Amino acid sequence: MSDWSIKTFQELTGSDVYAILKLRQDIFSLEQKCLYADIDDADQVAHHVMLWHRAELIAYARCLPPNTSYKHNSSIGRVAVVLRERGKQTGRMLMKQCIGINLEHYPGKNICINAQLHLQSFYSSLGFTTQGKAYAEDGINHIKMLFRSIPT
């Protein structure tokens, strides 16, 4: 059985923080071989979206308020799904949760993400549109994408 948990930084337990940092390290640093500053002072203002299977964190993302990563826009970042859950719609469910959280907590604000380029079509299928050209970030190709909370 899997359970969703959505917490502010102040609500996170020590076990939550450990599981989050371990998952982010396992995926971004070890699996993707990416050296970057994961501890970036944004966790404290985020809503942390976690999917647990039994006692294991299997999917995670953080929802950030406007003016944290992008001026005037909210954001979703550190989207991570354990390898065995990929291709099972877990990432889609995670992103739908995050979009809902951002729209609820930051009404009238668009959602901006730095998508890994190979996931551009996945994010497009969720309503994100490409903004600009691809760029390298921490050795991985990314593209800025936008979800409009109020269609133009």
Side-chain angles (χ1 to χ4, degrees):
M1 172 170 230
S2 298
D3 295 303
W4 289 101
S5 177
I6 300 156
K7 297 182 180 182
T8 65
F9 184 77
Q10 294 74 21
E11 295 169 327
L12 293 172
T13 66
S15 294
D16 292 335
V17 172
Y18 183 88
I20 290 166
L21 293 177
K22 182 177 184 330
L23 180 67
R24 288 175 8 185
Q25 174 187 272
D26 288 349
I27 292 174
F28 301 125
S29 297
L30 300 176
E31 177 185 326
Q32 296 181 353
K33 297 175 179 51
C34 183
L35 183 61
Y36 74 106
D38 184 40
I39 308 299
D40 61 358
D41 295 317
D43 287 318
Q44 295 91 324
V45 297
H47 283 90
H48 299 269
V49 182
M50 300 165 280
L51 180 60
W52 299 89
H53 181 71
R54 297 190 176 105
E56 180 189 7
L57 182 61
I58 61 170
Y60 167 84
R62 66 182 185 183
C63 299
L64 297 167
N67 302 312
T68 303
S69 296
Y70 297 99
K71 190 172 186 171
H72 307 299
N73 294 316
S74 68
S75 185
I76 300 168
R78 303 293 198 266
V79 179
V81 176
V82 296
L83 187 59
R84 74 174 185 283
E85 289 296 318
R86 295 178 202 162
K88 298 180 180 179
Q89 303 297 310
T90 305
R92 182 169 301 283
M93 290 186 305
L94 174 64
M95 283 303 297
K96 286 182 176 182
Q97 285 277 351
C98 292
I99 291 167
I101 290 164
N102 279 39
L103 295 177
E104 176 186 343
H105 289 279
Y106 318 116
K109 298 295 183 181
N110 294 328
I111 305 168
C112 196
I113 61 172
N114 284 336
Q116 290 187 5
L117 190 58
H118 73 278
L119 294 170
Q120 183 177 9
S121 62
F122 167 73
Y123 290 114
S124 291
S125 74
L126 290 163
F128 286 86
T129 57
T130 299
Q131 307 290 302
K133 297 183 184 216
Y135 56 92
E137 181 177 312
D138 302 319
I140 298 173
N141 288 329
H142 284 74
I143 191 92
K144 183 177 174 182
M145 298 186 80
L146 188 70
F147 182 95
R148 295 191 185 278
S149 64
I150 302 171
T152 56

